[in-house]
Amino acid sequence: MKWRTYPEDVLPLWVAEMDVPLAEPIVRAVTDALARGDTGYPVGTAYAEALADFAEKRWSWDGLAVQRTAIVPDVMLGVVEMLKLVTGPGDTVVVNSPVYPPFYQFVEHMDRQVFEAPLGTEGRIDLGGLEDAFRRAVDGRRRAAYLLCSPHNPTGTVHTADELATVAVLADRYGVRVVADEIHAPLVVGGVDFVPYLSVPGAGNGLSLMSASKAWNLAGLKAALAIAGPEAAADLARLPEEVGHGPSHVGVIAHTAALRDGTAWLDALLAGLDDNRRLLGELLAGHLPGIAHRPGEATYLAWLDCRALGLGDDPAEVFLRRGRVALNSGVPFGTGGAGHVRLNLATSPEVVREAVRRMAAALG
């Protein structure tokens, strides 16, 4: 999709796929499975066990209980299934805009309405605005959920333990159920701590979705895990059996191998992303000083504020038409997205340099 959506003369830095060779332990695990003819239906808890071990070692979280997990096809389809468990048609789902566009698309398609609680300064959760959104969401005794993006896409913000604990307090106060999309959790920069939502006090009735797909570039090998807090176990138990038929068994094998044996590869990836993040900042400062850029604490996505360039609400269209570089338009990310673009920096330094060169030439 990344390289075939646009004509060959367009440099693609949009969809969240990485230009990296696959980790050797994943290649070996999948190849061995194919050699055995092991291509049936998924079953078992190996994926959940691998994630629990990874979470304990990486985030010092020993609260991921394997018995409170379920395999789902991918994170967004898992989000849909979790929202079905805790809300009904016509109910409200709160999101922090600007946010990953499928949050709007999937929620509206399942006949829920989206309430925005825009991020505050420096891309952090505006807790006062969130409380107001919760209050409005449950008005009339309706059920409501909060779809938390953690780490946040597109800003790369990593929510703190204190912020998440306050979220849990507010959710309990208003009876809002939290569903956390934590797909970017392994992609946090050094020195910054990722805090799983279910690890904070008061989050026991929350639900989380995690996957190895973003960190190990496995989007085409479908598999993710839904995780329930202790008080949400009964909700997860109501997940229809057929949902577990959607993930790829080969995908489960790949994700399990990534979590068990792919941490050295992940650490090398993170070092390369750090280099590209610094390079992008230097290039923007030197060639596109009108773009405001705050490096994210996580993900491999850069959220660029282009409003000072005078390119209108959709500068991505200008960069594509004049510079032949494909970025994500900020408009579909909701309130706060206009005038912004999202750039995927998980590529070679040469491609990053060429992208900025083309963007600067588009303004000439």
Side-chain angles (χ1 to χ4, degrees), residues 9 16 42 79 117 131 145 150 210 224 247 300 307 329 334:
D9 67 326
V79 163
E131 180 171 15
S150 179
M210 289 188 174
Y300 46 78
R307 288 174 293 180
S329 168

Side-chain angles (χ1 to χ4, degrees), residues 42-48 69-74 78 82 209 222-227 236 239-249 251-252 256:
V43 71
T45 59
Y47 188 0
T69 66
I71 302 173
V72 292
D74 58 34
M82 297 305 103
L209 285 305
K222 293 288 189 178
L225 283 167
I227 308 160
L236 189 61
L239 188 70
E241 178 187 351
E242 60 268 21
V243 174
H245 297 170
S248 160
H249 173 53
V252 170
T256 303

